Amino acid sequence: MIRPVLLNDAEAIANIYNEYVVNTDISFETAPVSVENMRARIAELSTEFPYFVYVTEKGEVEGFCYAHRWKERAAYQFVVETTVYCSVKRTGKGIGTALMKHLIDACRLSGYNALIACITGDNTPSINFHAKLGFEKVSHFKKVGVKFGRFLDVVDYELLLV
């Protein structure tokens, strides 16, 4: 089941996200995010942008997605960046696809005209995932991030909603 995020989901979301922060270069954060910090992020983002969680029949949060401001200038008000993460033990089960389709529909209904996915350049699974959803590559920035002592590229994929 997909539902809007609740502040009570902060611990589960932090646990899912921190697996990627600590063990991969998928996220460019370099230190785990506390539950309190995640709760503050949820409170800030969910009041203005679509934010959803995937919950199992047992009530466990197994994935989350949200949109957030892509750039600060007013001219970009109809463009948002998307984020989606699934529990590492639940990847490949269709949760991410269900979440993103839900988020895309919510963004369309909210009047956004374009979605941007910012992806680590060698994250082939995420690149393929977004391409299957209709996102197209629009940029490639070389060596713009550093994690685990390695320079990383970033690619942007865009989905036009109008």
Side-chain angles (χ1 to χ4, degrees):
M1 172 179 85
I2 296 173
R3 64 161 169 78
V5 71
L6 303 171
L7 290 180
N8 292 347
D9 297 324
E11 182 175 2
I13 291 171
N15 288 338
I16 291 168
Y17 184 59
N18 284 334
E19 281 289 320
Y20 292 92
V21 170
V22 172
N23 298 312
T24 76
D25 60 15
I26 290 171
S27 167
F28 276 21
E29 292 206 58
T30 56
V33 177
S34 70
V35 173
E36 296 76 25
N37 186 281
M38 187 60 73
R39 188 174 292 113
R41 291 180 186 191
I42 292 168
E44 180 182 343
L45 288 172
S46 65
T47 58
E48 188 175 352
F49 301 101
Y51 198 136
F52 303 103
V53 292
Y54 181 94
V55 183
T56 66
E57 291 177 4
K58 295 179 182 179
E60 298 170 344
V61 174
E62 294 289 349
F64 65 95
C65 66
Y66 59 88
H68 58 94
R69 190 172 322 285
W70 181 58
K71 299 239 183 211
E72 292 299 318
R73 304 275 191 264
Y76 298 114
Q77 65 185 307
F78 296 107
V79 180
V80 289
E81 186 175 335
T82 61
T83 296
V84 60
Y85 285 94
C86 295
S87 169
V88 293
K89 63 184 183 240
R90 301 282 289 190
T91 59
K93 308 276 189 219
I95 293 171
T97 300
L99 280 166
M100 277 301 292
K101 286 181 176 180
H102 197 83
L103 183 62
I104 290 166
D105 289 343
C107 288
R108 187 176 278 115
L109 288 171
S110 295
Y112 296 111
N113 71 317
L115 307 180
I116 305 294
C118 182
I119 306 167
T120 305
D122 62 359
N123 185 352
T124 304
S126 186
I127 289 167
N128 293 339
F129 168 78
H130 284 87
K132 277 202 287 190
L133 290 169
F135 284 74
E136 296 180 0
K137 184 176 179 180
V138 292
S139 71
H140 189 137
F141 299 97
K142 296 179 181 178
K143 297 183 179 186
V144 294
V146 178
K147 191 164 181 184
F148 304 132
R150 193 167 79 91
F151 283 99
L152 302 166
D153 294 359
V154 169
V155 293
D156 286 334
Y157 276 68
E158 177 185 44
L159 178 67
L160 296 177
L161 301 179
V162 294

